[in-house]
Amino acid sequence: DDKLKDIRILVVSGKRYQVDYRAADRLGANMFMSKPFDAAKMLEAVVAMIGRPGEPLPRILSNPGPG
């Protein structure tokens, strides 16, 4: 949907399994963070996702979890 293309999604999960990381990616999440997380890291993630106006959405998924 064209109206939703600029929405950024950060998944914060208590799970650290690779399957959860892949599911978030498949469903369109821009980033994945597993708990517990540092507040500064969360702020960095949000700033990284916001980017500059007019830039394309980043496709950065962090903390992929164990293989």
Side-chain angles (χ1 to χ4, degrees):
D1 188 342
D2 211 32
K3 296 176 188 176
L4 304 176
K5 70 177 183 176
D6 291 328
I7 294 176
R8 292 155 171 101
I9 301 170
L10 168 61
V11 174
V12 179
S13 175
K15 298 180 180 182
R16 295 180 179 212
Y17 300 109
Q18 187 70 28
V19 66
D20 300 308
Y21 167 80
R22 288 186 189 135
D25 185 43
R26 186 179 69 250
L27 294 171
N30 299 96
M31 295 186 108
F32 183 94
M33 293 182 75
S34 57
K35 295 180 187 177
F37 58 87
D38 181 293
K41 296 266 187 204
M42 172 72 116
L43 180 58
E44 287 175 21
V46 171
V47 169
M49 285 182 16
I50 291 172
R52 297 180 191 173
E55 288 183 345
L57 296 177
R59 292 289 300 164
I60 304 168
L61 287 164
S62 57
N63 296 337

